[in-house]
Amino acid sequence: MSKSLPKRSEDYSAWYNELVKRADLAENSAVRGCMVIKPYGFAIWEKMQQTLDRMFKETGHSNAYFPLFVPKSLFEAEEQNAEGFAKECAIVTHYRLKADPNKKGKLIVDPDAKLEEELIVRPTSEAIIWNTYKGWIQSYRDLPLLINQWANVVRWEMRTRLFLRTAEFLWQEGHTAHSTKDEAMEETTRMLDVYAEFAHDFLALPVIKGIKTANERFAGAEETFCIEAMMQDGKALQAGTSHFLGQNFAKAFDVKFADKNGGLEYVWGTSWGVSTRLMGALIMAHSDDNGLVLPPKLAPWQVVIVPVVFGNDNEALLNRCKELKSSLQKAGISVMLDDRDTQKPGWKFAEYELKGVPVRLAIGNRDLQNNSIELARRDTMEKSQVSLDGIEDYIKNLLDEIQTNIYQKALNFREKQTRKVDDYATFQRLLDEDPGFILAHWDGTPETEEKIKNETKATIRCIPLEREEEPGTCMVTGNPSAGRVLFARAY
RNA sequence: CGGGGCGUAGCGCAGCCUGGUAGCGUACUAGCAUGGGGUGCUAGGGGUCGUGGGUUCAAAUCCCGCCGCCCCGACCA
């Protein structure tokens, strides 16, 4: 294994793949398209989960769990949804294996064990959940119903990439039911805001909130809201979606409620989700050619202490490291003390840079005598000598500063790579030569959108929620446009 | 599903064209030295060369089939 990563500037894709593996986040498994998330990668995901879970609960949601399998008849009930996901479903057709009569020690699918009705491995859970909701909702008193589920789903993708697109992935999916359209719409945008806040405050990732065009809308939704982030190669990554489902699923699964006046009405629904894809976003947004750069709020270890040992007389030094560790922990900082004598300090430095630990403290006898420590920031790679007195407060502040700095860096990059363009030639040239977000006028038709996609591989990422009222003309057809929409090539 | 590539030691690869004792780097084990940025030297262990068949005195190498994976496209969170 070579010691250095591929360079972002030379091969962004190879850099990403290598980084994921070398930083011990995940690896490909024996199952096509499915990854193994390794302990270090999973620790980051757990931090995301904990934070999001808290935010969901603060906004009134409860967790529940629904089955992995969806009977085909339920799956097909909401036609748009079924059609949208049909071509990437895994299907269970049998429930038993038996010994192969022709090959000793091998198994075959028992043809006598065919299921009467096939089971779809959920690509998303609206069907099974709305079918369940039918039994839970009778009256306006049962509403709103605010449920979230942490689960795995399967989408049989043609081509997969660790975290960004895997055949099986982990996610959360919120599914809510409301008595009025306004309330459901309010919920949809509330959860979009939760996602945007999470991206901003924890992922240190600036995102653009917007509405998807009809082409890009979730199958079965009336309206899809999204947050879009920019990666360091200028490509867009959809980091989360929140769907206003209207009464589509209520009608498909016959979920009605008695209102205050004794009338019977269909329920209004929403669904919203983020996935392990956020890991991909986190990696691609901040990391550099030395490895991961993790925002302190999501780093499994915010600080790593590396003792720099000489000879055998290290007891005092190691004791001092342990004291330091516990005093930092008391200050609410998560700390890794790497006192292994099997690896050398230089090796550890490189290792923790690769793993993106925000702050590294190196401490040797020389430092002890000066009552100071060598501190290295991962985000800027700067090293400095810092006094051990008051080190806890110093590091707490520094972690905040790093969190902010990482965000600011990503924001600066996004702003630099976001341009307003008015003619199609410039649009095409920029996508090839200096990729990023492009704000351009579009005539609002699916045909023009499709044409642009076919010709440039760029899609409308969203119609930004916060956009200036700026009438103009479509860069392709010259027809009138109410305002600019956000274009980019996307993951 | 179309295009390209790869399957040889835990990992990364060479060897294949031109068939003849299976190699390198790294990791691993041991010893000695070293020790503030991926230590150095020495010795050692580890491989049915993806799989099935064929050609041949002889196959990692040539031929045919199969399987798997990766990358690029179309599709998609």
Side-chain angles (χ1 to χ4, degrees):
Chain A
M1 203 193 316
S2 93
K3 281 174 181 171
S4 60
L5 286 169
K7 302 267 174 286
R8 283 166 297 174
S9 54
E10 286 166 17
D11 190 342
Y12 194 80
S13 183
W15 166 81
Y16 175 82
N17 287 328
E18 273 294 298
L19 177 53
V20 169
K21 286 177 201 161
R22 297 268 295 280
D24 260 345
L25 301 175
E27 62 188 32
N28 285 302
S29 70
V31 189
R32 192 209 78 104
C34 297
M35 64 179 164
V36 173
I37 304 176
K38 298 183 76 176
Y40 191 65
F42 204 78
I44 300 170
W45 174 242
E46 281 178 316
K47 288 222 152 191
M48 293 189 191
Q49 278 188 302
Q50 284 160 14
T51 307
L52 285 165
D53 200 64
R54 176 178 56 73
M55 294 171 94
F56 297 156
K57 283 168 182 163
E58 282 169 4
T59 45
H61 303 86
S62 304
N63 287 331
Y65 187 79
F66 297 85
L68 170 67
F69 304 118
V70 185
K72 185 165 142 293
S73 56
L74 289 185
F75 184 75
E76 64 200 6
E78 207 297 319
E79 281 181 40
Q80 295 282 330
N81 188 248
E83 212 175 287
F85 285 100
K87 58 187 183 302
E88 50 190 33
C89 285
I91 303 134
V92 180
T93 54
H94 292 75
Y95 58 87
R96 196 164 62 206
L97 299 168
K98 66 174 190 181
D100 186 338
N102 301 317
K103 281 188 187 158
K104 194 168 170 290
K106 303 288 181 190
L107 297 170
I108 57 168
V109 174
D110 186 344
D112 295 332
K114 194 166 184 306
L115 290 170
E116 262 182 44
E117 180 178 4
E118 292 89 349
L119 297 173
I120 313 301
V121 181
R122 61 181 169 214
T124 180
S125 301
E126 277 78 5
I128 187 72
I129 288 179
W130 279 89
N131 177 257
T132 308
Y133 282 1
K134 179 178 165 59
W136 291 3
I137 299 167
Q138 276 84 41
S139 146
Y140 71 92
R141 292 191 179 88
D142 299 320
L143 297 171
L145 185 56
L146 306 173
I147 302 286
N148 175 65
Q149 129 163 306
W150 290 95
N152 58 340
V153 288
V154 169
R155 295 181 188 175
W156 213 262
E157 299 290 351
M158 292 298 174
R159 237 190 86 221
T160 59
R161 280 187 88 187
L162 292 169
F163 289 121
L164 295 175
R165 180 167 299 105
T166 46
E168 178 196 23
F169 57 94
L170 305 183
W171 77 344
Q172 60 69 216
E173 45 182 328
H175 296 271
T176 69
H178 307 264
S179 51
T180 67
K181 179 179 181 179
D182 285 353
E183 192 186 297
M185 186 54 94
E186 208 177 290
E187 166 78 5
T188 311
T189 54
R190 178 185 302 118
M191 298 323 286
L192 186 75
D193 289 342
V194 165
Y195 288 154
E197 184 188 334
F198 174 74
H200 181 287
D201 291 353
F202 290 86
L203 297 169
L205 190 63
V207 292
I208 292 177
K209 293 189 281 188
I211 301 176
K212 287 290 186 192
T213 61
N215 279 350
E216 304 276 328
R217 193 179 290 151
F218 176 75
E222 300 267 298
E223 200 78 271
T224 288
F225 293 76
C226 63
I227 51 172
E228 294 285 331
M230 186 189 290
M231 303 296 101
Q232 289 181 72
D233 59 353
K235 285 171 82 173
L237 188 129
Q238 179 176 303
T241 47
S242 184
H243 314 292
F244 172 70
L245 302 176
Q247 295 174 310
N248 292 347
F249 284 88
K251 286 176 180 164
F253 291 91
D254 192 35
V255 186
K256 293 179 194 159
F257 71 102
D259 65 21
K260 287 177 183 171
N261 309 315
L264 212 50
E265 283 185 51
Y266 285 111
V267 166
W268 298 84
T270 84
S271 67
W272 29 273
V274 296
S275 71
T276 34
R277 188 178 224 206
L278 288 180
M279 293 287 293
L282 188 68
I283 298 158
M284 286 201 294
H286 306 309
S287 301
D288 62 25
D289 292 346
N290 295 308
L292 279 181
V293 175
L294 293 176
K297 286 189 184 173
L298 293 176
W301 307 309
Q302 295 172 312
V303 173
V304 60
I305 304 171
V306 178
V308 180
V309 296
F310 284 95
N312 298 317
D313 187 22
N314 298 311
E315 201 163 327
L317 179 65
L318 290 177
N319 283 336
R320 188 67 189 85
C321 287
K322 284 175 189 161
E323 283 171 32
L324 181 61
K325 177 183 176 181
S326 78
S327 69
L328 289 172
Q329 282 175 329
K330 276 186 196 128
I333 299 164
S334 60
V335 185
M336 165 71 173
L337 166 58
D338 189 349
D339 56 3
R340 290 178 294 176
D341 57 6
T342 52
Q343 307 293 353
K344 308 198 51 173
W347 188 92
K348 293 177 185 175
F349 293 170
E351 180 68 10
Y352 292 108
E353 271 158 22
L354 189 59
K355 291 197 158 168
V357 178
V359 172
R360 183 185 73 231
L361 302 175
I363 180 163
N365 284 312
R366 203 164 73 197
D367 304 292
L368 274 193
Q369 279 162 15
N370 301 330
N371 193 41
S372 73
I373 201 162
E374 184 192 87
L375 183 151
R377 283 174 68 152
R378 180 62 185 85
D379 60 333
T380 59
M381 298 290 276
E382 287 165 357
K383 285 196 270 195
S384 56
Q385 285 294 127
V386 177
S387 168
L388 277 164
D389 297 329
I391 187 90
E392 298 84 0
D393 284 342
Y394 182 88
I395 290 178
K396 276 193 91 133
N397 290 331
L398 181 62
L399 289 171
D400 287 343
E401 189 186 325
I402 292 172
Q403 181 84 26
T404 308
N405 180 51
I406 292 175
Y407 174 82
Q408 197 57 45
K409 219 166 137 185
L411 181 62
N412 292 346
F413 179 76
R414 191 191 73 186
E415 306 219 309
K416 185 166 76 69
Q417 296 305 115
T418 302
R419 276 83 37 120
K420 288 185 180 177
V421 170
D422 290 316
D423 67 286
Y424 196 37
T426 307
F427 179 88
Q428 287 169 303
R429 186 178 56 76
L430 274 181
L431 284 172
D432 287 330
E433 292 173 12
D434 191 17
F437 288 174
I438 298 180
L439 289 162
H441 283 290
W442 161 62
D443 63 14
T445 67
E447 293 75 26
T448 305
E449 184 183 9
E450 193 65 23
K451 176 180 154 74
I452 294 170
K453 183 178 173 182
N454 290 337
E455 289 175 357
T456 68
K457 292 179 199 155
T459 49
I460 299 177
R461 302 317 303 154
C462 67
I463 302 158
L465 291 184
E466 290 151 28
R467 69 168 178 177
E468 304 155 25
E469 285 301 316
E470 187 201 337
T473 55
C474 174
M475 64 174 172
V476 177
T477 61
N479 292 330
S481 148
R484 294 176 186 273
V485 298
L486 188 72
F487 285 93
R489 290 192 181 139
Y491 278 98

